[in-house]
Amino acid sequence: YHKPIDVLSQWLVTLACGDGFDADVLRKEVARTHAFADLTDDEWGWTLDFIMRGGSSLTAYPEFRKVIRSGTVHVVADRRTAMRHRMQIGTIDSDAALHVQFLRGKRLGTIEESFISRLAPGDVFWFAGRCLEFVEVHEMTALVVNATNQKGAIPRWTGGRLPLSAQMSSVLRHTLHEAADGIYRTEEARRLRPLLELQQQWSALPHDHEFLIERFRSREGYHLFFYPFEGRLAHEGLAALVALRLSRLQPITFSMAMNDYGFELLSDQPIPLEEGLGKGLFDAHDLATDILASANVALMARRRFRNIARVAGLVFQGYPSKQKKPRHLQASAELFFDVFKDYDPHNLLLRQAIDETLQFELDEYRIREALERVRFQQIVIKDLEHPTPFAVPILVDRLREKVGSERTEDVLRKLLGRA
């Protein structure tokens, strides 16, 4: 459950800039809101302490003493604080663009921060027709080197951030359940009937009580395709989670690809799928811990903390005629993040950054729902000789990012050659 402490602190300072507020009266009003219905007294007290003296780690800095108590009312400390705060009200969050640059060389272009924040040093991704190894982020620039491994992640852009909703996913799974029994109720299902029948002929159409996994080998390696039909964001987290749990069984490296319907794991060695299923591959137990281990959550939370710090008033964006550059804001926010992590680990803004990363970047809630559903489904594993209609779109997303002497169409024809 997400509590936007940054928004609460900004709102309290805004009230203090006006006629002030009575903390005891306001506490009851806040408790009646949806976002803060389960806000505890300790969390409320922490927020008041944060706007009055900067919390336990910033007490030595006068600029964070924004609100003072005058009798029973909390008011803003001084006119200058009120003016600076008013200029930051209504902060709009947006994803920054990072430059991609060789560690010792030229810039290749720009890429969205949300994608880079998921990478750990040494991860490989495709960009500008090159397979690159991520080194680090320095001052809003992603530093890279040429990768020797030609299997890497594919950048996810803004257009891919509208995954299937939970309701649409449920409808889609039920439509496939009916199609497996030869029932095509909607016009869309009837239009797709030839494709769905081909999928059933080559592999299977999963019923509501079934979870489909496809497996085949190609010249690229060993492929596993999973079809939860939960949307792209959830599949990104699920792919990393499943890859982590399989890698615990034996030393193995995966390349991952996904779309709204499923995800692929690709390795150059046999994948211990049956062993993984026998040891709780889709178990929701310790999910949060495994997600934190499978994704670069620390870096993702660090990047997300920039917007939280802006809303909470920790960093000043500058005056209208002289705005601070994004890299300066990022550097300031990272400094606060490191201070809180080292000296104030119970800071609610720090906890909010991690909660938001799990909720909005990795879709933890959808992942947990998917795992709970799969736990009661029958696992259907199909060993194939070629990709199916369900698998081809995932393959295309990965193949089209590679540059070589062969066209994507030619590679697909080879993969489908025995169809």
Side-chain angles (χ1 to χ4, degrees):
Y1 181 69
H2 170 54
K3 303 173 190 175
I5 300 298
D6 57 342
V7 174
L8 178 60
S9 63
Q10 185 185 75
W11 180 58
L12 292 178
V13 177
T14 303
L15 293 178
C17 289
D19 297 329
F21 63 88
D22 186 316
D24 295 332
V25 175
L26 193 61
R27 173 71 178 96
K28 298 176 182 178
E29 295 182 12
V30 169
R32 290 198 293 267
T33 65
H34 175 74
F36 300 103
D38 65 345
L39 187 74
T40 66
D41 290 337
D42 288 341
E43 291 169 336
W44 172 255
W46 185 95
T47 307
L48 289 177
D49 183 62
F50 172 72
I51 64 175
M52 294 179 69
R53 64 186 190 103
S56 60
S57 54
L58 300 175
T59 55
Y61 302 94
E63 60 265 35
F64 300 111
R65 302 171 193 167
K66 299 180 180 180
V67 174
I68 60 175
R69 183 166 182 169
S70 178
T72 59
V73 179
H74 289 73
V75 295
V76 73
D78 53 61
R79 182 171 176 271
R80 180 174 177 271
T81 299
M83 291 180 62
R84 288 183 55 152
H85 177 75
R86 290 189 180 107
M87 281 189 285
Q88 296 209 148
I89 294 176
T91 302
I92 298 176
D93 292 344
S94 62
D95 198 9
L98 302 183
H99 293 289
V100 179
Q101 179 178 333
F102 281 118
L103 191 59
R104 295 179 180 84
K106 64 178 182 179
R107 286 184 176 179
L108 299 175
T110 58
I111 194 169
E112 290 184 358
E113 183 183 30
S114 61
F115 173 77
I116 290 295
S117 66
R118 297 169 182 267
L119 302 180
D123 285 352
V124 177
F125 68 101
W126 286 88
F127 183 77
R130 302 170 185 261
C131 199
L132 306 172
E133 180 180 325
F134 174 67
V135 178
E136 65 173 345
V137 174
H138 178 68
E139 292 187 349
M140 305 301 288
T141 299
L143 300 177
V144 299
V145 295
N146 281 317
T148 55
N149 181 11
Q150 295 298 301
K151 298 174 182 177
I154 300 170
R156 177 176 65 87
W157 304 93
T158 302
R161 292 188 194 167
L162 299 175
L164 295 176
S165 65
Q167 294 81 2
M168 181 65 74
S169 296
S170 178
V171 170
L172 178 58
R173 287 192 295 269
H174 187 67
T175 300
L176 293 176
H177 168 84
E178 292 185 330
D181 295 329
I183 302 172
Y184 298 87
R185 297 183 187 277
T186 66
E187 179 64 23
E188 292 80 5
R190 288 190 288 271
R191 292 293 183 96
L192 290 174
R193 182 168 186 167
L195 192 66
L196 295 177
E197 289 179 342
L198 185 62
Q199 169 68 29
Q200 191 167 30
Q201 177 185 341
W202 287 0
S203 175
L205 289 175
H207 289 85
D208 283 340
H209 65 280
E210 296 175 332
F211 181 75
L212 176 63
I213 302 175
E214 296 177 343
R215 177 170 56 187
F216 75 93
R217 183 181 180 183
S218 73
R219 63 176 184 171
E220 291 186 296
Y222 297 85
H223 303 257
L224 277 182
F225 291 91
F226 302 79
Y227 301 103
F229 300 97
E230 284 290 349
R232 187 184 182 98
L233 284 182
H235 291 164
E236 285 192 48
L238 276 170
L241 178 69
V242 172
L244 172 71
R245 290 178 172 178
L246 289 174
S247 68
R248 288 172 175 168
L249 303 177
Q250 68 180 49
I252 190 171
T253 301
F254 292 104
S255 175
M256 297 179 288
M258 67 288 298
N259 61 14
D260 272 333
Y261 310 122
F263 62 91
E264 174 200 23
L265 297 182
L266 170 64
S267 179
D268 59 357
Q269 58 182 297
I271 303 173
L273 175 61
E274 284 81 3
E275 184 181 356
L277 291 173
K279 294 186 176 180
L281 183 62
F282 296 110
D283 195 341
H285 182 64
D286 290 333
L287 175 60
T289 302
D290 284 350
I291 289 179
L292 291 173
S294 65
N296 192 17
V297 175
L299 180 58
M300 295 167 67
R302 181 186 297 270
R303 311 301 292 186
R304 192 165 192 91
F305 186 78
R306 182 187 64 230
N307 290 330
I308 293 175
R310 289 167 60 190
V311 174
L314 287 173
V315 296
F316 182 57
Q317 300 177 85
Y319 297 96
S321 59
K322 192 177 182 180
Q323 292 284 323
K324 290 186 178 181
K325 295 181 179 180
R327 68 173 182 268
H328 296 154
L329 293 175
Q330 182 63 41
S332 299
E334 287 186 1
L335 179 60
F336 283 112
F337 185 90
D338 291 335
V339 169
F340 294 155
K341 181 167 63 71
D342 295 336
Y343 301 103
D344 190 10
H346 300 294
N347 189 291
L348 296 187
L349 298 178
L350 189 66
R351 190 177 74 183
Q352 179 184 338
I354 297 175
D355 289 346
E356 286 189 1
T357 299
L358 291 173
Q359 180 178 353
F360 299 119
E361 299 288 343
L362 298 174
D363 219 350
E364 180 196 8
Y365 178 74
R366 291 284 295 275
I367 293 175
R368 187 176 296 278
E369 278 195 334
L371 293 179
E372 290 291 344
R373 189 184 70 252
V374 172
R375 190 160 62 94
F376 296 101
Q377 290 179 317
Q378 176 186 348
I379 304 295
V380 178
I381 303 175
K382 293 293 183 179
D383 289 298
L384 311 171
E385 296 184 353
H386 49 72
T388 63
F390 279 3
V392 167
I394 305 176
L395 278 174
V396 170
D397 278 346
R398 178 167 51 80
L399 292 175
R400 68 183 179 184
E401 297 296 327
K402 298 185 177 182
V403 174
S405 59
E406 291 183 292
R407 297 183 304 167
T408 301
E409 293 87 346
D410 296 331
V411 177
L412 280 175
R413 286 194 185 96
K414 289 183 179 181
L415 289 173
L416 295 169
R418 287 176 289 179

